[in-house]
Amino acid sequence: MARLIATALERRVGRRVTVENRPGGTGAAAGEALKFGGTDGGMVAFMPTPSLVAKLFAPAYPFDPATDLAPVTTAGTYIDAFAVSPKIGVATIAEYVEWLKAGEPGRNKIGTTASDAMLQFYTRALGREFGVPMEGQAFRGTAPLVTDMEAGKVPAGVAGLTSFLVAHRGNRVRVLATSGSRRVSVAPDLPTAKEAGYPGLTMEEWYGFFAAANTPPPLVDLWNGALTAVLKDKEVSHQLAQLGLEVETSTPAVCAERLAAHMKKWQATLQGLGMKPTL
């Protein structure tokens, strides 16, 4: 998604735009790069909200989204998907829960590419909904998770819908439900968790663009104008939709308000699961 947006941005502004991957747990390295660099306003980070919410899980998280970032614009919403291995022979969440409760120990494993903290959240949330304590297993990327699910080594997994969609269409995994409030246009056959009878698993996250906290407001506004124009381009928004991102832009102020509200909502969610947020 970042490269798609960067290519269109480069055409629009007539200057080279470089995408620099900053791998690391929950995307923390991208925020850290802004905290200790980017003071000239020449760099922004394209980050999903789990990379920001992760601060609630870890006191030593390398940056604080409330003080180290300057929101530029929202980019769009995306959703998670709950999928199972085709080896277990279930087609709905209800059938999965029945299978989960009927068999031998070990059926409760759930794989994800999320950080340890988010994995803890997923296991608690799914365990609460399914009535069975879940055991999380972390994977370094979607490819190994899909490989193990296809082979039946891991019976179920949670990841962004886009991470599972190609594998689902290729019958390597079977997506049973998505976490959105409504069905998505790229996969209208997939029910939401609420439709499947588990409204407690409804959850929507979003991507945004962020600059360093000390970036001068006029530069933030320039980034906002260029990025929102690119995101609203019909061809770009269509391609992003195929990748699972429903484009949604905003002013810097609205993005900041949305982030604050999102953090507050996650604090309440964690507290409801008996997890103590760090903020």
Side-chain angles (χ1 to χ4, degrees):
M1 291 189 290
R3 295 188 185 282
L4 170 64
I5 295 168
T7 299
L9 181 63
E10 190 171 80
R11 290 197 300 265
R12 182 172 185 84
V13 301
R15 296 179 61 183
R16 185 176 180 182
V17 178
T18 303
V19 175
E20 185 176 332
N21 290 329
R22 292 293 181 102
T26 69
E32 189 176 22
L34 288 179
K35 179 179 179 178
F36 296 107
T39 56
D40 62 352
M43 175 171 63
V44 293
F46 180 57
M47 303 170 70
T49 41
S51 295
L52 311 175
V53 170
K55 172 63 178 174
L56 298 175
F57 294 89
Y61 202 61
F63 75 94
D64 187 337
T67 58
D68 296 326
L69 305 181
V72 175
T73 179
T74 57
T77 56
Y78 75 95
I79 56 178
D80 285 328
F82 179 77
V84 296
S85 167
K87 299 285 187 181
I88 69 174
V90 303
T92 66
I93 292 187
E95 290 180 5
Y96 167 76
V97 173
E98 184 179 348
W99 173 88
L100 187 64
K101 295 179 176 179
E104 65 281 353
R107 291 192 171 193
N108 64 336
K109 286 184 179 180
I110 181 82
T112 183
T113 60
S115 66
D116 290 342
M118 287 297 291
L119 179 57
Q120 184 184 8
F121 163 74
Y122 284 132
T123 55
R124 290 204 186 191
L126 293 168
R128 178 192 62 187
E129 291 296 306
F130 298 158
V132 177
M134 303 297 289
E135 178 184 336
Q137 183 173 343
F139 284 80
R140 294 181 63 84
T142 305
L145 171 58
V146 168
T147 297
D148 277 11
M149 289 179 64
E150 182 180 21
K153 295 179 180 179
V154 178
V158 176
L161 175 60
T162 53
S163 298
F164 277 149
L165 201 51
V166 172
H168 169 77
R169 290 169 174 165
N171 297 316
R172 299 183 64 196
V173 303
R174 178 176 291 163
V175 174
L176 301 186
T178 66
S179 68
S181 58
R182 62 184 186 277
R183 296 194 182 200
V184 294
S185 58
V186 292
D189 56 313
L190 299 178
T192 65
K194 183 177 181 179
E195 289 175 319
Y198 296 89
L201 297 180
T202 299
M203 181 175 64
E204 292 181 330
E205 298 294 324
W206 49 278
Y207 270 90
F209 280 96
F210 302 88
N214 55 356
T215 303
L219 282 179
V220 172
D221 290 338
L222 283 173
W223 273 110
N224 176 271
L227 287 167
T228 55
V230 166
L231 289 164
K232 289 179 179 179
D233 179 86
K234 288 184 178 181
E235 182 60 28
V236 173
S237 62
H238 174 73
Q239 291 182 57
L240 289 172
Q242 298 307 305
L243 295 173
L245 188 74
E246 298 289 334
V247 169
E248 188 176 337
T249 62
S250 72
T251 64
V254 169
C255 184
E257 291 170 2
R258 185 172 182 179
L259 175 58
H262 198 76
M263 298 292 282
K264 186 175 181 179
K265 180 181 178 180
W266 263 96
Q267 282 182 298
T269 299
L270 296 181
Q271 289 169 346
L273 289 170
M275 300 172 70
K276 188 177 180 180
T278 61
L279 294 179

